[in-house]
Amino acid sequence: MKILGIALQKGQLRYSLLDGTKIKPNLILKEKLNTIALDNVPELMDWFETNFLDIIEKHKPDKVCYKITLGPKKEQLFSLIMPLGVLNLICKKKRITVVDYNKLQFTQKKLGLDKSVDLYKKCDEIFGTNPPYWDITQKDSIIVGWLEL
Amino acid sequence: MNLPTTTFQLGKYKVLRKLGNGQFGYVYEALDMALAARKAIKIIELEKPDELLSTLLEANILDKCRHKNIVQINEANVMELNGKQVVVLDLEYADGGSLSSEMEKRFLSVKESICHISSMLSGLEYAHNQGFLHRDIKPANILVSGGVTKLSDFGLATVPTGKIGSGKGYVSHLAPETLTKNVTTIQTDIYASGITLFRLVNQVSDWHSIVVSQKDPQKLITNGTLLNKIGFQPYIPQQIKRILSKACTPILTKRFHSALEMRQALDKLRYNIVWNKNSPDEWSGADNHNSYTMEKSRSARGVISVEFSKNGRMQSDKCKKNICELEAVACMNNIVMNTTFG
Ligand SMILES: Nc1ncnc2c1ncn2[C@@H]1O[C@H](COP(=O)(O)OP(=O)(O)O)[C@@H](O)[C@H]1O
Ligand SMILES: [Mg+2]
């Protein structure tokens, strides 16, 4: 199963494409896109629609997973939360299952790992380090996909 | 083909007015009487019956390239007109016309130009991902429909073969590698997108005559100096020049590799003031909260000054008094250049 994992950051859309299994996950690719300016919300949502669609049409994932930020601040609502509404609608229209995860659901147990394991370090171990932009947000996009494998 | 100059009937279409004629077809605004809907129809004459399949290629490609930034095809039909077989493409009617007619009508701000090209590149990337090259990116082939920018005219489009294919028609924005090695690739579409952006931000409507008026255009194209030779409007910000040089360099390893990469460079730009040139002596601008005007004025005694105001209030620190004509123009150009981006 091919899974698209998505994590947003202010002004950035990060995604990763995974296949394999929970025990043997495989990172096919990862990508960072810069969004347009955040000051015009309708334009920004249009940008997200275009780019979510383009990514889905290009990679044809079987499932889409995304990370949702808990307790967002007001300005984060526009850059981190509202675009996920657009994503859900696109997935519904394209009949692709879409699953959300928040940080509290990033548990080692779900991945068959010991509680002491640092998931972000584990990402380096399993997938190697993949600069540039091999950071928390990028790994978030991987972990949400990994959780669904 | 001699087509009537007044309205005429073609099957279910009431053909209203000519929108443009290009190299291979005639495009009309038409009323689809079955649906009571406005359409654009492209009528392509068949020279020989065995051209039918190749003439339908444009329609086939459009059907495989359904994207919000690509003009939508509704259907394609073979019909008879004046006793001749024609292919009729039934297209969504783009009410905003083409960017070439738009730029002839009015000044396009840097932001508008970039937004058009960014959207067009979304469509182009989709076509590339579907396995097609467009091969004729230019302002006349970018349309605006309901406020959305759409790539159009896949009449020269093909699958990438490395070679230029049939070589049908004149390719407007010939890339260096097409000129020297006769190849067309994804990167030649990028090159043409760069030239298109250059034309939009520099108000160059008639590309062909400006190119042929150069001393040795072939050499300028192949050594990558064409744009600098033609020159940039003095208010064009550095950020745009950098993007244009990356889109139009003859060195393929340095050129953007994909439409997405070029679009990302454009999307990353952050605007400050959007400036519109109302006349050679007057600019108006706006950001999210304020409006600006800037104009050159001449007092009764002949003293020239530049007056800059924000929300209707004169900003004396940005105004200039007692300067010459050229200084005034340069002053305004500099302000536009330095305040377009944040
Ligand atoms: N769908 C459309 N809606 C509105 N105008 C159009 C449409 N398609 C083409 N046109 C107009 O007709 C012109 C020529 O059409 P195009 O498809 O580019 O034909 P050609 O292959 O002959 O260049 C365009 O530049 C544009 O002005
Ligand atoms: Mg054309």
Side-chain angles (χ1 to χ4, degrees), chain B residues 108-278:
Chain B
L108 289 177
S109 72
V110 163
K111 182 175 183 180
E112 259 183 298
S113 304
I114 289 178
C115 288
H116 282 309
I117 298 298
S118 167
S119 301
M120 180 281 287
L121 286 168
S122 275
L124 180 63
E125 205 221 342
Y126 189 77
H128 286 166
N129 286 340
Q130 298 300 108
F132 302 110
L133 299 176
H134 184 280
R135 303 204 304 174
D136 198 15
I137 309 267
K138 59 179 180 184
N141 289 338
I142 303 171
L143 308 177
V144 178
S145 175
V148 181
T149 312
K150 312 220 170 191
L151 181 57
S152 143
D153 190 1
F154 282 64
L156 280 180
T158 180
V159 289
T161 55
K163 290 271 172 255
I164 191 163
S166 66
K168 66 177 181 181
Y170 162 70
V171 180
S172 307
H173 298 163
L174 217 52
E177 65 274 18
T178 313
L179 208 58
T180 54
K181 298 196 211 92
N182 207 25
V183 291
T184 52
T185 63
I186 282 177
Q187 281 184 301
T188 53
D189 275 349
I190 305 276
Y191 178 89
S193 305
I195 301 288
T196 304
L197 175 59
F198 174 85
R199 290 177 56 185
L200 295 187
V201 294
N202 282 286
Q203 272 77 54
V204 179
S205 296
D206 188 353
W207 178 249
H208 186 66
S209 25
I210 218 168
V211 172
V212 296
S213 72
Q214 305 296 320
K215 214 175 115 214
D216 188 351
Q218 300 239 356
K219 189 170 155 207
L220 297 176
I221 292 172
T222 48
N223 69 15
T225 52
L226 181 65
L227 298 189
N228 279 322
K229 186 75 201 311
I230 294 172
F232 293 85
Q233 295 283 0
Y235 50 81
I236 300 296
Q238 204 54 45
Q239 289 92 325
I240 297 201
K241 292 186 193 165
R242 267 201 296 274
I243 290 173
L244 287 175
S245 82
K246 201 161 177 207
C248 300
T249 170
I251 306 163
L252 296 176
T253 49
K254 292 201 174 147
R255 195 182 300 166
F256 292 116
H257 288 90
S258 67
L260 176 64
E261 192 190 356
M262 179 170 174
R263 179 165 66 85
Q264 274 285 292
L266 297 173
D267 286 356
K268 248 198 311 211
L269 296 168
R270 292 293 178 262
Y271 302 91
N272 179 15
I273 301 176
V274 176
W275 287 107
N276 272 293
K277 193 177 189 172
N278 304 332

Side-chain angles (χ1 to χ4, degrees), chain B residues 19-20 22-25 27 40 42 71 92-94 98 140-141 143 153:
Chain B
L19 293 168
Q23 300 169 65
F24 315 112
V27 181
K42 185 166 182 172
V71 79
E92 95 180 86
Y93 174 67
S98 75
N141 289 338
L143 308 177
D153 190 1

